[in-house]
Amino acid sequence: MEIKKLKVLIADDEPDILEIISYNLSAEGYLVITAKNGDEAIDRAKKHQPDLIILDVMMPGKNGMEVCNILRLQPAFKNTLIIFLTALSDESSEIKGLETGADDYLTKPISPKVLLSKVNALFRRFSKEESSVLQLGDLQIDREKYIIVHKGEEITLARKEFELLSLLAGKPGKVFLRNEILNSIWGTEVIVGDRTIDVHIRKIRQKLNLDCITTVKGVGYKFEMND
Amino acid sequence: MEIKKLKVLIADDEPDILEIISYNLSAEGYLVITAKNGDEAIDRAKKHQPDLIILDVMMPGKNGMEVCNILRLQPAFKNTLIIFLTALSDESSEIKGLETGADDYLTKPISPKVLLSKVNALFRRFSKEESSVLQLGDLQIDREKYIIVHKGEEITLARKEFELLSLLAGKPGKVFLRNEILNSIWGTEVIVGDRTIDVHIRKIRQKLNLDCITTVKGVGYKFEMND
DNA sequence: TTTTTGCTTAACAATTTGATAATCTTTAAA
DNA sequence: TTTAAAGATTATCAAATTGTTAAGCAAAAA
């Protein structure tokens, strides 16, 4: 199976820091995305759905805390890891940062090694295993064998269809944003048109002949069995 | 429903530190267990199965790192949170600590407030059921599923409406200025007219059929349940 | 080579959403 | 009590979003 690289977004207005961190994280095998200010950070975060966001607190435009606040309000970023970087080694601002919803707080000057081990520690915690067979009502999804069984009958889905269904069914009820879906199934490099997801969804609905994928207009799709 | 207190084990050979940390964590609602050295820490950990272990690195008998290593080998402590305390603010030992399997690393002298917010941040992140559900009286806002439930009935809100309600309900009582709302939901680039917010507020009020959004004239809006 | 299968896109229909304008109400100040 | 400002309400319309179908490619299979 293909291993998905963990994505890290770094936002800092100092190019040097951006480069040092980028270099180190890339070398460690992470996929790095950068942003030069708060607004750019928000844009890129929405676009790429990173697993971790490293935010400089002081940036032109929106500062790190503001960015964090804005992102945390959105369901898609509820679980994204966030680390603050700051030149202030001020106790109260550190507390404020952590209460804003950050997962860690690093004071400049930053040692790349320390940063790396912190990032690794966070991800070590975060990685979770998932079972390969999903049972949802009378629908069975075997992610290992790539087989769907509904009421004893086997249904054949094409790869993309299968991956899409598998993604949605992995968290029943959760709304997956179009961006999330694109990132999970197509990755950030491949760019496909607007209607691609819809068409696949339609095919799944058709083949399953089961009302289990709900559209949330303006947001995305979710899987839900209606028993 | 009774809430199960989170258990924290603290191991340090200095009684003062033990007491200060105990006091602060207890005050915050945690159930505290203490140990004076490494061996005692292992015993108590096995007995009480704490959710978090705070280990002084330098202790008589087994030191913190050794304790961590021993515990991490056992399946029961694979997922237990561990924080190291140390007098050394030495980079390499911090890295070593994190690589040993610790989740955080604090340097003495310790500020109780910082410790507290770190502990809170860790639990917030890794507590088993990270629910994205806001429960406000008999109103339920599920930010992940994008649904509103009021007295068992599901209410459908459009995206902007949902985001707006979600924003206000995220901090009940807080008055959000019109500007804050615009920035959070529309961003800085998009510019919309004066009446747009009002109209959305109105729609929410209408759909919820519940008096929970208060107008603060000349200032903004706030969410408040009137029980 | 030909056929089949899967993926993407184009084109258009159907639907929903969100912003605005216009008008009414309320509120607070004069 | 009057008046002006802020907000509430309503209807309307344009824009955004999604559903659906058909068609074109490219890769794999026959």
Side-chain angles (χ1 to χ4, degrees), chain A residues 134 136 141 143 161-177 180-181 185 197 201 204-205 212-214 220-224:
Chain A
L134 292 174
L136 303 143
I141 304 177
R143 290 161 141 163
E161 290 159 21
F162 187 92
E163 282 175 7
L164 183 46
L165 177 61
S166 178
L167 175 69
L168 297 185
K171 268 211 172 187
K174 173 186 156 75
V175 176
F176 288 82
L177 313 182
E180 281 184 273
I181 295 175
I185 297 185
I197 294 180
I201 291 281
I204 295 170
R205 283 172 172 158
C212 62
I213 296 179
T214 313
Y221 293 93
K222 67 178 164 182
F223 179 97
E224 218 158 30

Side-chain angles (χ1 to χ4, degrees), chain B residues 9-221:
Chain B
L9 169 64
I10 312 169
D12 199 312
D13 56 326
E14 296 171 61
D16 290 352
I17 291 193
L18 227 45
E19 200 189 315
I20 292 174
I21 300 181
S22 286
Y23 172 78
N24 281 281
L25 288 177
S26 299
E28 191 83 358
Y30 295 107
L31 206 158
V32 178
I33 303 149
T34 58
K36 290 188 295 292
N37 58 59
D39 295 299
E40 203 175 294
I42 294 176
D43 276 355
R44 305 241 158 136
K46 285 182 183 166
K47 191 174 165 198
H48 298 283
Q49 288 288 322
D51 303 285
L52 165 68
I53 304 176
I54 301 177
L55 288 172
D56 188 18
V57 172
M58 271 171 302
M59 286 187 292
K62 291 198 177 58
N63 72 36
M65 300 246 185
E66 290 171 314
V67 172
C68 180
N69 276 324
I70 292 169
L71 290 177
R72 279 284 190 246
L73 286 175
Q74 304 181 31
F77 297 102
K78 273 266 184 324
N79 293 309
T80 309
L81 296 168
I82 294 181
I83 296 179
F84 279 137
L85 295 185
T86 178
L88 299 172
S89 91
D90 171 18
E91 183 176 304
S92 70
S93 62
E94 174 162 359
I95 293 169
K96 204 169 128 201
L98 289 171
E99 278 169 359
T100 304
D103 295 290
D104 212 332
Y105 194 95
L106 285 178
T107 307
K108 294 182 185 178
I110 291 154
S111 144
K113 283 188 183 171
V114 170
L115 174 71
L116 260 185
S117 58
K118 288 235 173 195
V119 170
N120 286 330
L122 276 175
F123 277 129
R124 187 197 325 132
R125 166 62 60 193
F126 299 112
S127 61
K128 293 123 208 167
E129 281 174 51
E130 166 76 33
S131 89
S132 54
V133 184
L134 289 176
Q135 183 71 257
L136 303 144
D138 39 37
L139 186 73
Q140 222 177 39
I141 303 177
D142 193 322
R143 290 163 143 158
E144 189 172 272
K145 296 185 177 176
Y146 261 93
I147 54 175
I148 308 273
V149 181
H150 182 224
K151 290 182 180 169
E153 246 182 296
E154 196 174 315
I155 297 165
T156 311
L157 295 187
R159 191 172 100 186
K160 282 276 187 293
E161 291 158 20
F162 188 93
E163 283 176 4
L164 183 47
L165 177 61
S166 182
L167 175 70
L168 298 184
K171 273 208 172 185
K174 174 186 155 79
V175 178
F176 288 82
L177 313 182
R178 292 176 99 82
N179 257 337
E180 280 183 274
I181 295 175
L182 285 176
N183 276 313
S184 297
I185 297 185
W186 279 267
T188 35
E189 282 126 61
V190 191
I191 293 166
V192 292
D194 265 13
R195 303 266 62 75
T196 304
I197 294 179
D198 313 32
V199 176
H200 283 292
I201 292 280
R202 149 127 184 82
K203 283 187 183 166
I204 295 170
R205 283 173 171 158
Q206 205 171 29
K207 286 188 181 173
L208 290 192
N209 190 31
L210 182 68
D211 181 26
C212 61
I213 296 179
T214 313
T215 306
V216 183
K217 222 179 146 126
V219 188
Y221 295 92

